[in-house]
Amino acid sequence: MPISLSPPVTVMSPVHEGEATHCPYCALQCGMNVGEDAGKITITPRDDVPANGGALCQKGWTAAELLSGGARLTTPLARASRTAPLVPVTWEEALDRVAAAVTAIQAGHGRDAVAVFGGGGLTNEKAYQLGKFARVALGTSQIDYNGRFCMSSAAAAAGRAFGMDRGLPFPITDIGDAEVVLMAGGNVAETMPPFLRHLRNTLIVVDPRETRTARHAALHLRTAPGTDLALALAMLHIAITEGYADEEYIAARTTGFEAVRASAASWWPERAERVTGVPVAEMRRAVHLLGTARTAMILTGRGAEQHAKGVDTVTAFINLALALGLPGRAGSGYGCLTGQGNGQGGREHGQKADQLPGYRRIDDPAARAHVAKVWGVDPADLPGPGRSAYELLDALGTEDGPRALLVFGSNPVVSAPRARHVAERLAALDLLVVSDIVLSETAAMADVVLPTTQWAEEHGTMTNLEGRVLLRRRAVAPPPGVRSDLEIIAGLAARLGRPEGFSGDPATVFDELRRASAGGVADYSGITYERIAAETGVFWPAPPGDGPGTPRPFLDRFPTPDGRARFVPVDHRPAAEDVDDDYPYYLTTGRVLAQYQSGAQTRRIAALNAAAPEPYVELHPDLAERLEAAPGDVLRVTSRRGSVEAVARVSPGIRRDTVFMPFHWEGANRLTNPALDPVSRMPEFKVCAVRVERRDAAPADAEKGRRR
């Protein structure tokens, strides 16, 4: 019996509007209409959604191919043994097998022997029910999600500075009102192209590479990888010593400035130039542009955040924004560019190791009591905090770690740091279960694969980078034999002795989420599907009442006990792994325009593969000459964790001491360093030390690749 896959679909030019919904990809959550014409699925952009205002990128235009492409899974798969192939089975067989194995493993090894790994692309309803399933049906503390690899550093920094983590604490349209925007480590021209319509400003970009976004900038600060923190400290030093600090704002709306003033005193710009490689004149110009603008914004992205010091790096940029008096002013502020489709909502409702719904802390007795009451359980029965994402993956199959893992909406074999090691840990499990729409690299390793519905085949809410809760509507019927993640979770819960409290209906789950989040930082209790549809999205926090939600939560006060934002002193420290004679170059990673995240979706779309067909190594012409490498040659890149090969791309837009690789294919993350931020537990994706050589280079030739 062959594996059942849907027939391929031809993506046609849009001819008419269909059901109003949202794109399956990034955190812009661009509005689109999905319809059907002559049996073919069509897509047209919506102009009533402010994030995209009628624009779509190439990924959005081709998203229909995901709905019925030839790679689509439509039947559960299972193995008779770890070495046997995956073969089709019925839903009853698949769910019964998972439940029986989970029961046996927990009986022999304890509740925490079973773990759950979620995703930042899951709807709010799925993220909420997955967290509840882990804590109530499984009774395990071992749950985290791939958003730990995306937003955790910015979330921790914003939480301790402002008392709230909402990516953009203002509508995205406010960005167009800022005269100057500094973007540290963001490449929106490739990661979310419709965002560019909001950048009608003087743009400053901080990035080791001349990205597509940097080409739009009036000023490009080309930092050495891992040195953004030193740059931010130097810019704060300049702002203070040259009179750009807003002393009146600092006195009225903040606390802790004197400690930060002292910490920045040692970061004079000449010192920072030696660390970052950014000329002093460019630092001064950047501060002058920000400090003299009537309105200004500072935005951070993964390039600044995915470090073992990511929380402190974001904190340093927040300190700069506070010193300039930006947060809480119309047309100004600090914001984070959320990456995954539901990167914001996905971390608010309980699939993080340390959180309960409403952005509540799981170790807070009042939070536990509130959520336990909604769930109908004793607060004492709720487990405590579990391992963070990489720590969870690293512990799989070990003596003290989980022996089973259930994965929903993630592909860690490609997306996790030190990815080959993560694959080895997955292989050591007694049970691996993956729910997905395609046979991803992680699903291909699973004992049981559960085919699930996707974006346009189901209702559900997403929270975009503005904190605007949006409604994804079902636009097409899913293939026969496919179930939603909510139905899968409910089916497993019933088999594990929890037949009540887990629904397959998203509206029912959202209604419970509203009650569970009530009174929390991320309060959704006043949001309904009907209200979202009528208002084209609702900003949280939104307690009950007739108000419009909270599009700009910091205008009058910050949600801290005293209403003031907090300066937090930080200091620069080197990357966890610096270059040396054996590994003389920096590797940094990122995304390209035509692919998305681990590529599980986009690498199965012909038009996107034609635009970006393979991984590559981008290097400076001087390094290429040193290696005697030409564009298209195959290079071997080696870190302390392994080697990968990819074709060379030569560009003067990258630093001479740095190479870049996109992470959408297996390879780049086999090299990256899993060193973790002490606060956010974010791995250091953005910098590690590597050796670069031609694949056919003899050992003596390889010496030419070393730094001179």
Side-chain angles (χ1 to χ4, degrees), residues 593-612:
L593 177 62
Q595 301 289 353
Y596 179 72
Q597 302 301 80
S598 76
Q601 298 160 291
T602 51
R603 285 187 281 113
R604 290 168 169 83
I605 295 178
L608 300 181
N609 275 336

Side-chain angles (χ1 to χ4, degrees), residues 241-267:
T241 59
E242 299 190 7
Y244 295 108
D246 188 334
E247 300 286 352
E248 183 178 345
Y249 172 97
I250 291 168
R253 301 209 60 188
T254 73
T255 61
F257 178 61
E258 290 308 316
V260 165
R261 186 201 296 268
S263 70
S266 63
W267 278 98

Side-chain angles (χ1 to χ4, degrees), residues 487-510:
E487 292 172 324
I488 291 168
I489 294 168
L492 288 173
R495 286 166 170 79
L496 293 170
R498 293 282 182 174
E500 304 295 330
F502 293 91
S503 174
D505 173 51
T508 300
V509 176
F510 187 75

Side-chain angles (χ1 to χ4, degrees), residues 384-466:
R387 295 178 173 94
S388 71
Y390 181 76
E391 291 166 303
L392 174 58
L393 295 171
D394 185 44
L396 297 175
T398 64
E399 183 176 352
D400 298 325
R403 305 179 73 92
L405 180 68
L406 281 62
V407 179
F408 290 80
S410 189
N411 188 17
V413 168
V414 176
S415 63
R418 199 184 173 196
R420 191 186 297 276
H421 172 73
V422 169
E424 291 170 353
R425 301 283 15 106
L426 291 170
L429 289 167
D430 296 338
L431 175 70
L432 175 60
V433 181
V434 176
S435 175
D436 210 328
I437 62 173
V438 296
L439 197 67
S440 70
E441 288 80 359
T442 304
M445 295 184 64
D447 300 289
V448 180
V449 180
L450 306 173
T452 186
T453 53
Q454 55 174 314
W455 64 290
E457 298 168 349
E458 58 188 11
H459 286 292
T461 59
M462 306 285 281
T463 306
N464 77 350
L465 79 173
E466 315 163 275

Side-chain angles (χ1 to χ4, degrees), residues 579-592:
V579 294
D580 57 22
D581 288 343
D582 293 321
Y583 301 93
Y585 299 103
Y586 295 112
L587 169 69
T588 191
T589 64
R591 283 174 48 188
V592 298

Side-chain angles (χ1 to χ4, degrees), residues 9-22:
V9 65
T10 302
V11 180
M12 304 292 290
S13 298
V15 294
H16 70 90
E17 293 188 355
E19 190 67 47
T21 188
H22 293 268

Side-chain angles (χ1 to χ4, degrees), residues 41 66 77 98 123 143 222 242 299 301 326 534 568 579 621 676:
I41 300 171
L66 287 169
L77 309 172
V98 172
T123 63
I143 175 172
R222 198 173 308 204
E242 299 190 7
L299 307 175
L326 305 181
V568 179
V579 294
L676 301 180

